[in-house]
Amino acid sequence: MGASAEKLINSLFTPSWAMRAVYFAVGIALVYVPWWMAAPGLLGASSLIWWRFSLFRKEVLIALLLVAIGLVYMHWHQLPAAPEVDDSAAQVISATVTSYPRVQEKRSSFTVKTASDNPHFKCFQVFCDFEVQLKPGDRVELKGVLKKPDEPGNPGEFNYPSYLSRHHTYYLLQVEEAHDLRQESGPNRLMAVAPLLRNRMVEHTRAVLPAEEAALILAMVLGIQDNLDEDLYQDFQKTGLVHLFAVSGLNVGFVILLASGFIALWRLSRVTGLVITIFLVLLYSSLTGWPVSIQRAVAMALLSLLAGYADRHHEPANGLGLAALIILIVDPCALFTISFQLSFLATWGLVSLYPAVKKNFKLKQRRWDYLLVPLCAQVAVLPLIAYYFHLITPVSILSNLLATYLAGIIVILGFVALLLAIPFPLLSTVLLMPTGVGAYMLLSLNSFC
Protein backbone atom coordinates (compact mmCIF):
# COMPACT_ATOMS: atom_id res chain seq x y z
CA MET A 1 0.00 0.00 0.00
CA GLY A 2 2.85 2.38 0.87
CA ALA A 3 4.59 1.81 -2.48
CA SER A 4 1.34 2.33 -4.38
CA ALA A 5 0.58 5.53 -2.48
CA GLU A 6 4.09 6.84 -3.08
CA LYS A 7 3.80 6.03 -6.78
CA LEU A 8 0.49 7.92 -6.95
CA ILE A 9 1.94 10.92 -5.10
CA ASN A 10 4.97 10.85 -7.36
CA SER A 11 2.75 11.02 -10.45
CA LEU A 12 0.74 13.86 -8.95
CA PHE A 13 3.76 15.93 -8.03
CA THR A 14 5.91 15.32 -11.07
CA PRO A 15 7.22 18.77 -11.96
CA SER A 16 5.67 18.91 -15.44
CA TRP A 17 3.71 21.58 -17.27
CA ALA A 18 0.73 19.24 -17.34
CA MET A 19 0.50 19.09 -13.54
CA ARG A 20 1.24 22.80 -13.18
CA ALA A 21 -1.72 23.48 -15.45
CA VAL A 22 -3.87 21.19 -13.29
CA TYR A 23 -2.87 23.05 -10.09
CA PHE A 24 -3.59 26.43 -11.68
CA ALA A 25 -6.96 25.14 -12.95
CA VAL A 26 -7.84 23.82 -9.47
CA GLY A 27 -7.21 27.30 -8.08
CA ILE A 28 -9.51 28.83 -10.70
CA ALA A 29 -12.24 26.28 -9.98
CA LEU A 30 -12.02 26.85 -6.21
CA VAL A 31 -13.53 30.31 -6.73
CA TYR A 32 -16.92 28.57 -6.88
CA VAL A 33 -16.31 26.44 -3.76
CA PRO A 34 -17.14 27.93 -0.32
CA TRP A 35 -13.90 28.80 1.51
CA TRP A 36 -14.95 26.82 4.58
CA MET A 37 -14.98 23.67 2.40
CA ALA A 38 -11.94 24.37 0.21
CA ALA A 39 -9.50 25.54 2.89
CA PRO A 40 -9.76 22.48 5.21
CA GLY A 41 -9.55 20.11 2.25
CA LEU A 42 -6.41 21.71 0.85
CA LEU A 43 -4.73 22.05 4.23
CA GLY A 44 -5.60 18.48 5.22
CA ALA A 45 -4.27 16.92 2.01
CA SER A 46 -1.14 19.09 2.07
CA SER A 47 -0.41 18.27 5.72
CA LEU A 48 -0.77 14.53 5.11
CA ILE A 49 1.63 14.59 2.15
CA TRP A 50 4.02 16.96 3.96
CA TRP A 51 4.51 14.68 6.96
CA ARG A 52 4.03 11.28 5.32
CA PHE A 53 6.09 11.84 2.16
CA SER A 54 8.93 14.21 3.01
CA LEU A 55 10.46 13.71 -0.46
CA PHE A 56 7.65 15.77 -2.01
CA ARG A 57 7.64 18.78 0.32
CA LYS A 58 9.04 21.14 -2.30
CA GLU A 59 6.53 19.99 -4.89
CA VAL A 60 3.68 20.41 -2.38
CA LEU A 61 4.70 24.03 -1.84
CA ILE A 62 4.82 24.62 -5.61
CA ALA A 63 1.40 23.03 -6.01
CA LEU A 64 -0.14 25.15 -3.22
CA LEU A 65 1.45 28.28 -4.67
CA LEU A 66 -0.02 27.60 -8.12
CA VAL A 67 -3.45 26.85 -6.63
CA ALA A 68 -3.30 30.11 -4.68
CA ILE A 69 -2.22 32.06 -7.79
CA GLY A 70 -5.09 30.54 -9.78
CA LEU A 71 -7.56 31.40 -7.02
CA VAL A 72 -6.39 35.02 -6.68
CA TYR A 73 -6.16 35.46 -10.47
CA MET A 74 -9.73 34.25 -10.98
CA HIS A 75 -11.01 36.46 -8.14
CA TRP A 76 -9.31 39.45 -9.76
CA HIS A 77 -10.72 38.48 -13.15
CA GLN A 78 -14.31 38.13 -11.93
CA LEU A 79 -16.80 40.95 -12.26
CA PRO A 80 -19.69 41.85 -9.92
CA ALA A 81 -23.24 41.13 -11.07
CA ALA A 82 -24.18 43.03 -14.21
CA PRO A 83 -26.47 46.02 -13.55
CA GLU A 84 -30.04 46.11 -14.82
CA VAL A 85 -30.73 48.01 -18.07
CA ASP A 86 -33.78 49.75 -19.49
CA ASP A 87 -35.20 47.29 -22.03
CA SER A 88 -38.19 49.45 -22.93
CA ALA A 89 -36.31 51.77 -25.30
CA ALA A 90 -33.99 51.15 -28.22
CA GLN A 91 -30.32 52.04 -27.91
CA VAL A 92 -27.69 52.83 -30.52
CA ILE A 93 -24.32 51.07 -30.19
CA SER A 94 -21.15 51.38 -32.28
CA ALA A 95 -19.06 48.21 -32.21
CA THR A 96 -16.71 45.88 -34.06
CA VAL A 97 -17.89 42.44 -35.20
CA THR A 98 -15.82 39.71 -33.49
CA SER A 99 -17.32 36.50 -34.84
CA TYR A 100 -18.59 35.08 -38.10
CA PRO A 101 -22.40 35.54 -38.14
CA ARG A 102 -24.47 32.40 -37.87
CA VAL A 103 -27.58 32.45 -40.06
CA GLN A 104 -30.50 30.11 -39.47
CA GLU A 105 -34.06 30.47 -40.76
CA LYS A 106 -33.56 34.07 -41.88
CA ARG A 107 -32.19 35.09 -38.45
CA SER A 108 -28.59 35.99 -37.67
CA SER A 109 -26.50 35.98 -34.52
CA PHE A 110 -22.98 37.23 -33.89
CA THR A 111 -20.86 38.92 -31.23
CA VAL A 112 -19.55 42.47 -31.16
CA LYS A 113 -17.05 44.42 -29.07
CA THR A 114 -17.40 48.09 -28.13
CA ALA A 115 -14.94 50.73 -26.96
CA SER A 116 -16.70 51.09 -23.58
CA ASP A 117 -14.54 51.34 -20.46
CA ASN A 118 -17.18 49.41 -18.51
CA PRO A 119 -16.31 45.68 -18.82
CA HIS A 120 -20.01 44.76 -18.57
CA PHE A 121 -20.73 46.71 -21.75
CA LYS A 122 -17.63 45.61 -23.65
CA CYS A 123 -19.17 42.65 -25.50
CA PHE A 124 -22.70 41.94 -26.70
CA GLN A 125 -24.47 38.97 -28.23
CA VAL A 126 -26.48 40.34 -31.16
CA PHE A 127 -29.61 38.74 -32.64
CA CYS A 128 -31.02 40.11 -35.90
CA ASP A 129 -34.42 39.16 -37.36
CA PHE A 130 -32.85 39.16 -40.83
CA GLU A 131 -29.80 37.80 -42.65
CA VAL A 132 -26.54 39.76 -42.43
CA GLN A 133 -23.39 39.70 -44.52
CA LEU A 134 -20.70 40.72 -42.04
CA LYS A 135 -17.12 39.67 -41.31
CA PRO A 136 -14.96 39.83 -38.17
CA GLY A 137 -13.42 43.28 -38.05
CA ASP A 138 -16.37 45.10 -39.63
CA ARG A 139 -17.39 48.32 -37.86
CA VAL A 140 -21.17 48.58 -37.39
CA GLU A 141 -23.77 50.83 -35.80
CA LEU A 142 -26.67 48.89 -34.28
CA LYS A 143 -30.03 50.10 -33.03
CA GLY A 144 -31.90 47.66 -30.85
CA VAL A 145 -33.22 46.66 -27.44
CA LEU A 146 -30.61 45.77 -24.84
CA LYS A 147 -31.57 43.21 -22.18
CA LYS A 148 -30.13 40.59 -19.88
CA PRO A 149 -30.55 36.92 -20.90
CA ASP A 150 -33.26 34.97 -19.09
CA GLU A 151 -32.27 32.78 -16.17
CA PRO A 152 -33.04 29.03 -16.47
CA GLY A 153 -36.56 28.19 -15.35
CA ASN A 154 -36.09 24.52 -14.44
CA PRO A 155 -33.42 22.48 -12.65
CA GLY A 156 -30.86 21.14 -15.11
CA GLU A 157 -31.90 23.57 -17.83
CA PHE A 158 -29.13 25.20 -19.89
CA ASN A 159 -27.88 28.29 -18.05
CA TYR A 160 -27.52 30.80 -20.87
CA PRO A 161 -26.51 33.79 -18.68
CA SER A 162 -23.73 31.72 -17.12
CA TYR A 163 -22.59 30.53 -20.54
CA LEU A 164 -22.43 34.09 -21.87
CA SER A 165 -20.65 35.47 -18.80
CA ARG A 166 -17.86 32.94 -19.31
CA HIS A 167 -17.40 34.55 -22.71
CA HIS A 168 -17.39 38.01 -21.07
CA THR A 169 -20.85 38.81 -22.43
CA TYR A 170 -23.67 39.99 -20.14
CA TYR A 171 -26.34 41.46 -22.44
CA LEU A 172 -28.27 40.60 -25.58
CA LEU A 173 -28.99 43.16 -28.29
CA GLN A 174 -32.12 42.50 -30.34
CA VAL A 175 -32.15 44.21 -33.75
CA GLU A 176 -35.48 43.90 -35.57
CA GLU A 177 -35.16 45.74 -38.89
CA ALA A 178 -32.40 45.66 -41.51
CA HIS A 179 -32.18 49.46 -41.55
CA ASP A 180 -31.28 49.34 -37.83
CA LEU A 181 -27.89 47.91 -38.78
CA ARG A 182 -25.45 50.20 -40.58
CA GLN A 183 -21.97 49.14 -41.60
CA GLU A 184 -19.57 51.98 -40.90
CA SER A 185 -16.40 50.55 -42.40
CA GLY A 186 -14.76 47.25 -43.17
CA PRO A 187 -11.62 45.72 -41.65
CA ASN A 188 -8.21 46.63 -42.93
CA ARG A 189 -6.95 44.71 -45.93
CA LEU A 190 -4.88 42.27 -43.89
CA MET A 191 -7.78 41.42 -41.57
CA ALA A 192 -10.14 41.04 -44.53
CA VAL A 193 -8.10 38.30 -46.27
CA ALA A 194 -9.32 35.34 -44.18
CA PRO A 195 -13.03 36.33 -44.21
CA LEU A 196 -12.97 36.90 -47.98
CA LEU A 197 -11.27 33.55 -48.56
CA ARG A 198 -13.80 31.88 -46.30
CA ASN A 199 -16.78 33.42 -48.10
CA ARG A 200 -15.48 32.38 -51.52
CA MET A 201 -14.82 28.86 -50.25
CA VAL A 202 -18.36 28.58 -48.88
CA GLU A 203 -19.96 29.88 -52.09
CA HIS A 204 -17.90 27.54 -54.29
CA THR A 205 -18.63 24.45 -52.16
CA ARG A 206 -22.38 25.11 -52.09
CA ALA A 207 -22.39 25.67 -55.84
CA VAL A 208 -20.59 22.40 -56.63
CA LEU A 209 -22.05 19.85 -54.18
CA PRO A 210 -25.56 18.83 -53.07
CA ALA A 211 -26.80 20.82 -50.08
CA GLU A 212 -26.42 18.07 -47.47
CA GLU A 213 -22.89 17.05 -48.49
CA ALA A 214 -21.79 20.69 -48.79
CA ALA A 215 -23.17 21.50 -45.33
CA LEU A 216 -21.38 18.49 -43.83
CA ILE A 217 -18.02 19.38 -45.42
CA LEU A 218 -18.22 23.04 -44.38
CA ALA A 219 -19.12 22.03 -40.82
CA MET A 220 -16.22 19.55 -40.61
CA VAL A 221 -13.56 21.69 -42.31
CA LEU A 222 -14.47 25.24 -41.22
CA GLY A 223 -16.93 24.71 -38.36
CA ILE A 224 -19.79 26.41 -40.28
CA GLN A 225 -23.05 24.83 -39.07
CA ASP A 226 -25.54 27.30 -40.58
CA ASN A 227 -27.02 24.91 -43.15
CA LEU A 228 -26.88 21.72 -41.09
CA ASP A 229 -30.30 20.17 -40.73
CA GLU A 230 -31.36 20.05 -37.07
CA ASP A 231 -32.48 16.42 -37.30
CA LEU A 232 -29.16 15.47 -38.88
CA TYR A 233 -27.28 17.23 -36.09
CA GLN A 234 -29.29 15.27 -33.50
CA ASP A 235 -28.54 12.01 -35.34
CA PHE A 236 -24.82 12.77 -35.11
CA GLN A 237 -25.29 13.44 -31.39
CA LYS A 238 -26.92 10.04 -30.92
CA THR A 239 -24.05 8.25 -32.66
CA GLY A 240 -21.36 10.21 -30.79
CA LEU A 241 -19.99 11.79 -33.99
CA VAL A 242 -21.15 15.35 -33.35
CA HIS A 243 -17.58 16.29 -32.33
CA LEU A 244 -16.67 16.12 -36.03
CA PHE A 245 -18.45 19.46 -36.44
CA ALA A 246 -16.27 21.15 -33.82
CA VAL A 247 -12.99 22.07 -35.47
CA SER A 248 -10.29 20.90 -33.10
CA GLY A 249 -6.85 19.39 -32.71
CA LEU A 250 -7.86 16.53 -34.99
CA ASN A 251 -8.28 19.01 -37.84
CA VAL A 252 -4.98 20.75 -37.08
CA GLY A 253 -3.30 17.34 -37.07
CA PHE A 254 -4.70 16.64 -40.54
CA VAL A 255 -3.39 20.03 -41.76
CA ILE A 256 0.08 19.19 -40.42
CA LEU A 257 -0.14 15.78 -42.10
CA LEU A 258 -0.99 17.54 -45.36
CA ALA A 259 2.00 19.89 -44.96
CA SER A 260 4.30 16.94 -44.20
CA GLY A 261 3.24 15.18 -47.39
CA PHE A 262 3.82 18.35 -49.42
CA ILE A 263 7.27 18.85 -47.84
CA ALA A 264 8.28 15.23 -48.51
CA LEU A 265 7.00 15.37 -52.10
CA TRP A 266 9.02 18.50 -52.94
CA ARG A 267 11.97 17.58 -50.71
CA LEU A 268 12.00 20.97 -49.01
CA SER A 269 14.56 22.04 -46.43
CA ARG A 270 13.75 21.97 -42.71
CA VAL A 271 13.43 25.74 -42.46
CA THR A 272 11.17 25.99 -45.52
CA GLY A 273 9.11 23.05 -44.29
CA LEU A 274 8.70 24.61 -40.86
CA VAL A 275 7.60 27.95 -42.33
CA ILE A 276 5.09 26.31 -44.69
CA THR A 277 3.62 24.13 -41.93
CA ILE A 278 3.20 27.06 -39.52
CA PHE A 279 1.70 29.20 -42.31
CA LEU A 280 -0.88 26.51 -43.19
CA VAL A 281 -1.78 25.96 -39.52
CA LEU A 282 -2.27 29.70 -38.90
CA LEU A 283 -4.20 30.15 -42.15
CA TYR A 284 -6.52 27.27 -41.32
CA SER A 285 -7.05 28.61 -37.78
CA SER A 286 -7.94 32.06 -39.14
CA LEU A 287 -10.47 30.53 -41.53
CA THR A 288 -12.20 28.76 -38.63
CA GLY A 289 -12.38 31.88 -36.44
CA TRP A 290 -9.98 30.68 -33.69
CA PRO A 291 -12.29 28.72 -31.35
CA VAL A 292 -10.78 27.51 -28.02
CA SER A 293 -10.15 24.01 -29.37
CA ILE A 294 -8.10 25.48 -32.23
CA GLN A 295 -6.18 27.76 -29.85
CA ARG A 296 -5.15 24.73 -27.81
CA ALA A 297 -4.23 22.71 -30.88
CA VAL A 298 -2.19 25.53 -32.42
CA ALA A 299 -0.29 26.14 -29.16
CA MET A 300 0.57 22.44 -28.93
CA ALA A 301 1.42 22.18 -32.62
CA LEU A 302 3.77 25.19 -32.55
CA LEU A 303 5.55 23.87 -29.45
CA SER A 304 5.99 20.47 -31.07
CA LEU A 305 7.17 21.91 -34.40
CA LEU A 306 9.68 24.27 -32.78
CA ALA A 307 10.98 21.51 -30.49
CA GLY A 308 11.45 19.23 -33.49
CA TYR A 309 13.25 21.93 -35.43
CA ALA A 310 15.60 22.55 -32.47
CA ASP A 311 16.18 18.76 -32.07
CA ARG A 312 14.68 18.92 -28.59
CA HIS A 313 12.63 16.09 -27.12
CA HIS A 314 8.99 17.14 -26.94
CA GLU A 315 6.71 15.50 -24.40
CA PRO A 316 3.10 15.77 -25.69
CA ALA A 317 1.66 15.91 -22.16
CA ASN A 318 3.91 18.88 -21.36
CA GLY A 319 2.79 20.58 -24.57
CA LEU A 320 -0.83 20.00 -23.57
CA GLY A 321 -0.20 21.47 -20.11
CA LEU A 322 1.65 24.51 -21.41
CA ALA A 323 -1.11 25.16 -23.97
CA ALA A 324 -3.68 24.97 -21.17
CA LEU A 325 -1.70 27.41 -19.02
CA ILE A 326 -1.41 29.91 -21.87
CA ILE A 327 -5.15 29.80 -22.59
CA LEU A 328 -6.10 30.02 -18.90
CA ILE A 329 -3.77 32.97 -18.28
CA VAL A 330 -5.30 34.80 -21.25
CA ASP A 331 -8.84 33.83 -20.21
CA PRO A 332 -9.39 31.85 -16.97
CA CYS A 333 -13.12 31.60 -17.75
CA ALA A 334 -12.23 29.25 -20.63
CA LEU A 335 -11.84 26.49 -18.01
CA PHE A 336 -15.62 26.33 -17.61
CA THR A 337 -16.49 26.10 -21.32
CA ILE A 338 -17.50 22.77 -22.85
CA SER A 339 -15.17 23.23 -25.84
CA PHE A 340 -12.13 23.70 -23.59
CA GLN A 341 -12.96 20.67 -21.44
CA LEU A 342 -13.80 18.34 -24.32
CA SER A 343 -10.78 19.45 -26.34
CA PHE A 344 -8.27 18.91 -23.55
CA LEU A 345 -9.81 15.66 -22.33
CA ALA A 346 -9.81 14.18 -25.85
CA THR A 347 -6.17 15.19 -26.28
CA TRP A 348 -5.32 13.77 -22.86
CA GLY A 349 -6.81 10.49 -24.07
CA LEU A 350 -4.39 10.53 -27.01
CA VAL A 351 -1.20 11.69 -25.26
CA SER A 352 -1.60 9.88 -21.90
CA LEU A 353 -4.33 7.23 -21.94
CA TYR A 354 -3.38 5.76 -25.32
CA PRO A 355 0.34 5.11 -24.54
CA ALA A 356 -0.60 3.80 -21.05
CA VAL A 357 -3.08 1.28 -22.48
CA LYS A 358 -0.64 0.22 -25.18
CA LYS A 359 2.17 -0.26 -22.64
CA ASN A 360 0.13 -2.09 -19.97
CA PHE A 361 -1.43 -4.49 -22.47
CA LYS A 362 1.88 -4.88 -24.38
CA LEU A 363 0.29 -4.06 -27.73
CA LYS A 364 3.38 -3.47 -29.86
CA GLN A 365 1.95 -4.13 -33.32
CA ARG A 366 1.14 -1.00 -35.26
CA ARG A 367 -2.26 -2.30 -36.32
CA TRP A 368 -3.53 -1.78 -32.75
CA ASP A 369 -3.02 1.97 -33.18
CA TYR A 370 -5.89 2.15 -35.67
CA LEU A 371 -8.19 0.81 -32.94
CA LEU A 372 -6.73 2.47 -29.84
CA VAL A 373 -6.32 6.06 -31.06
CA PRO A 374 -10.04 6.82 -31.64
CA LEU A 375 -11.06 4.53 -28.78
CA CYS A 376 -8.94 6.33 -26.14
CA ALA A 377 -10.05 9.76 -27.31
CA GLN A 378 -13.69 8.70 -27.12
CA VAL A 379 -13.41 7.01 -23.71
CA ALA A 380 -11.77 10.14 -22.28
CA VAL A 381 -14.70 12.40 -23.18
CA LEU A 382 -17.58 10.00 -22.44
CA PRO A 383 -18.12 11.22 -18.83
CA LEU A 384 -18.35 14.85 -19.97
CA ILE A 385 -20.72 14.00 -22.81
CA ALA A 386 -22.95 12.13 -20.35
CA TYR A 387 -22.87 15.08 -17.92
CA TYR A 388 -23.54 17.90 -20.40
CA PHE A 389 -25.79 16.19 -22.93
CA HIS A 390 -27.48 13.61 -20.64
CA LEU A 391 -26.65 10.97 -23.21
CA ILE A 392 -24.60 7.77 -23.16
CA THR A 393 -24.36 6.13 -26.54
CA PRO A 394 -22.38 2.85 -26.59
CA VAL A 395 -22.56 2.83 -30.39
CA SER A 396 -20.29 5.91 -30.35
CA ILE A 397 -17.26 3.68 -29.83
CA LEU A 398 -18.05 1.73 -32.98
CA SER A 399 -19.03 4.81 -34.99
CA ASN A 400 -15.84 6.66 -34.07
CA LEU A 401 -13.67 3.69 -34.99
CA LEU A 402 -15.28 3.63 -38.43
CA ALA A 403 -15.58 7.38 -39.00
CA THR A 404 -12.31 8.89 -37.73
CA TYR A 405 -10.17 7.96 -40.72
CA LEU A 406 -12.94 8.75 -43.18
CA ALA A 407 -13.21 12.16 -41.50
CA GLY A 408 -9.45 12.63 -42.03
CA ILE A 409 -9.82 12.09 -45.77
CA ILE A 410 -12.74 14.55 -45.90
CA VAL A 411 -10.89 17.25 -43.93
CA ILE A 412 -7.62 16.96 -45.90
CA LEU A 413 -9.26 16.82 -49.34
CA GLY A 414 -11.80 19.46 -48.35
CA PHE A 415 -9.15 21.87 -47.06
CA VAL A 416 -7.05 21.54 -50.23
CA ALA A 417 -10.15 21.96 -52.40
CA LEU A 418 -11.22 25.07 -50.49
CA LEU A 419 -7.74 26.62 -50.74
CA LEU A 420 -7.85 26.13 -54.51
CA ALA A 421 -11.36 27.60 -54.87
CA ILE A 422 -10.06 31.09 -55.75
CA PRO A 423 -6.86 30.53 -57.80
CA PHE A 424 -7.92 27.26 -59.50
CA PRO A 425 -11.72 26.82 -59.29
CA LEU A 426 -11.78 23.98 -61.84
CA LEU A 427 -9.19 21.95 -59.90
CA SER A 428 -11.07 22.73 -56.70
CA THR A 429 -14.24 21.34 -58.27
CA VAL A 430 -12.41 18.14 -59.27
CA LEU A 431 -11.19 17.66 -55.67
CA LEU A 432 -14.59 18.46 -54.18
CA MET A 433 -16.16 15.53 -56.03
CA PRO A 434 -14.34 12.75 -54.09
CA THR A 435 -14.74 14.86 -50.94
CA GLY A 436 -18.47 14.87 -51.56
CA VAL A 437 -18.40 11.07 -52.01
CA GLY A 438 -16.63 10.80 -48.64
CA ALA A 439 -19.29 13.04 -47.06
CA TYR A 440 -22.03 10.84 -48.53
CA MET A 441 -20.34 7.74 -47.09
CA LEU A 442 -20.09 9.40 -43.68
CA LEU A 443 -23.78 10.34 -43.79
CA SER A 444 -24.65 6.72 -44.68
CA LEU A 445 -22.41 5.37 -41.92
CA ASN A 446 -24.02 7.70 -39.37
CA SER A 447 -27.49 6.66 -40.51
CA PHE A 448 -26.55 2.98 -40.20
CA CYS A 449 -25.12 3.43 -36.70
Side-chain angles (χ1 to χ4, degrees):
M1 177 65 77
S4 300
E6 190 156 341
K7 186 177 180 180
L8 174 62
I9 298 297
N10 185 43
S11 65
L12 288 175
F13 290 99
T14 300
S16 66
W17 285 110
M19 291 312 304
R20 288 166 187 164
V22 170
Y23 303 144
F24 189 69
V26 167
I28 293 173
L30 284 178
V31 167
Y32 297 102
V33 177
W35 68 268
W36 50 268
M37 292 178 60
L42 281 174
L43 289 175
S46 303
S47 300
L48 176 63
I49 296 171
W50 183 272
W51 296 112
R52 179 66 180 83
F53 305 99
S54 58
L55 182 64
F56 304 106
R57 288 182 178 179
K58 180 181 177 182
E59 285 74 16
V60 170
L61 288 176
I62 293 173
L64 288 175
L65 179 62
L66 286 170
V67 169
I69 291 173
L71 182 63
V72 172
Y73 188 63
M74 185 61 185
H75 263 299
W76 173 77
H77 197 271
Q78 273 190 317
L79 294 176
E84 296 295 330
V85 291
D86 181 12
D87 58 3
S88 61
Q91 301 189 36
V92 178
I93 294 171
S94 292
T96 302
V97 178
T98 57
S99 70
Y100 288 104
R102 183 170 183 178
V103 181
Q104 285 186 315
E105 299 180 355
K106 304 296 183 180
R107 298 185 77 244
S108 308
S109 62
F110 54 95
T111 57
V112 297
K113 188 174 184 179
T114 71
S116 174
D117 294 328
N118 187 330
H120 285 118
F121 296 92
K122 202 81 173 173
C123 301
F124 297 109
Q125 177 70 48
V126 181
F127 291 95
C128 299
D129 294 334
F130 49 90
E131 292 188 19
V132 301
Q133 297 293 329
L134 296 171
K135 306 177 294 294
D138 282 346
R139 291 283 303 165
V140 293
E141 183 181 87
L142 303 162
K143 182 180 179 181
V145 176
L146 199 64
K147 63 178 183 178
K148 297 177 74 172
D150 295 330
E151 296 287 343
N154 297 304
E157 186 178 343
F158 178 64
N159 193 325
Y160 193 44
S162 177
Y163 167 81
L164 288 178
S165 67
R166 289 166 184 168
H167 292 79
H168 313 289
T169 303
Y170 304 90
Y171 299 98
L172 310 178
L173 183 67
Q174 183 69 43
V175 182
E176 295 183 353
E177 303 292 341
H179 60 75
D180 290 331
L181 187 157
R182 184 169 65 88
Q183 187 169 343
E184 296 180 339
S185 63
N188 61 51
R189 291 183 178 180
L190 184 61
M191 289 181 63
V193 171
L196 286 174
L197 280 174
R198 176 182 165 112
N199 288 341
R200 289 290 299 274
M201 292 171 176
V202 171
E203 292 170 2
H204 183 69
T205 305
R206 290 174 178 169
V208 171
L209 295 175
E212 197 169 45
E213 282 81 355
L216 183 67
I217 291 169
L218 291 173
M220 291 178 62
V221 179
L222 298 179
I224 300 173
Q225 301 180 18
D226 295 2
N227 289 76
L228 272 179
D229 182 75
E230 187 175 343
D231 292 334
L232 178 65
Y233 188 87
Q234 291 177 355
D235 287 344
F236 272 83
Q237 278 187 321
K238 293 173 184 176
T239 56
L241 292 176
V242 72
H243 65 87
L244 296 177
F245 302 145
V247 288
S248 63
L250 189 66
N251 300 53
V252 173
F254 291 142
V255 172
I256 293 175
L257 184 63
L258 169 67
S260 301
F262 182 79
I263 293 165
L265 178 64
W266 292 92
R267 298 181 181 178
L268 301 175
S269 66
R270 293 181 65 192
V271 176
T272 306
L274 178 67
V275 171
I276 288 176
T277 304
I278 292 177
F279 171 76
L280 284 177
V281 168
L282 295 180
L283 174 62
Y284 177 73
S285 304
S286 299
L287 292 172
T288 63
W290 290 95
V292 171
S293 54
I294 286 291
Q295 295 173 28
R296 185 269 309 160
V298 169
M300 285 192 66
L302 292 181
L303 289 170
S304 180
L305 290 169
L306 293 173
Y309 177 75
D311 293 323
R312 297 284 299 274
H313 173 68
H314 176 67
E315 180 62 42
N318 275 338
L320 181 66
L322 188 55
L325 268 179
I326 292 171
I327 293 173
L328 292 177
I329 289 172
V330 173
D331 181 13
C333 291
L335 176 66
F336 305 103
T337 61
I338 299 176
S339 59
F340 178 93
Q341 295 170 13
L342 287 176
S343 177
F344 276 88
L345 264 184
T347 309
W348 172 83
L350 295 176
V351 303
S352 297
L353 183 60
Y354 157 68
V357 170
K358 193 173 181 181
K359 179 180 178 181
N360 289 333
F361 287 92
K362 297 180 175 60
L363 304 174
K364 297 181 180 180
Q365 294 87 352
R366 190 174 180 81
R367 65 174 179 269
W368 286 105
D369 294 350
Y370 299 106
L371 173 68
L372 291 177
V373 168
L375 180 64
C376 290
Q378 184 67 15
V379 168
V381 299
L382 274 179
L384 268 187
I385 291 174
Y387 175 76
Y388 282 117
F389 302 108
H390 313 290
L391 179 71
I392 296 179
T393 169
V395 76
S396 66
I397 297 176
L398 172 64
S399 62
N400 274 276
L401 291 176
L402 297 174
T404 298
Y405 300 101
L406 180 58
I409 295 172
I410 294 171
V411 170
I412 291 175
L413 282 178
F415 181 53
V416 174
L418 294 180
L419 285 181
L420 295 174
I422 295 177
F424 305 105
L426 183 60
L427 184 56
S428 173
T429 300
V430 172
L431 281 175
L432 278 174
M433 293 303 179
T435 312
V437 173
Y440 177 79
M441 293 173 62
L442 182 58
L443 289 168
S444 302
L445 171 63
N446 184 70
S447 178
F448 169 76
C449 289

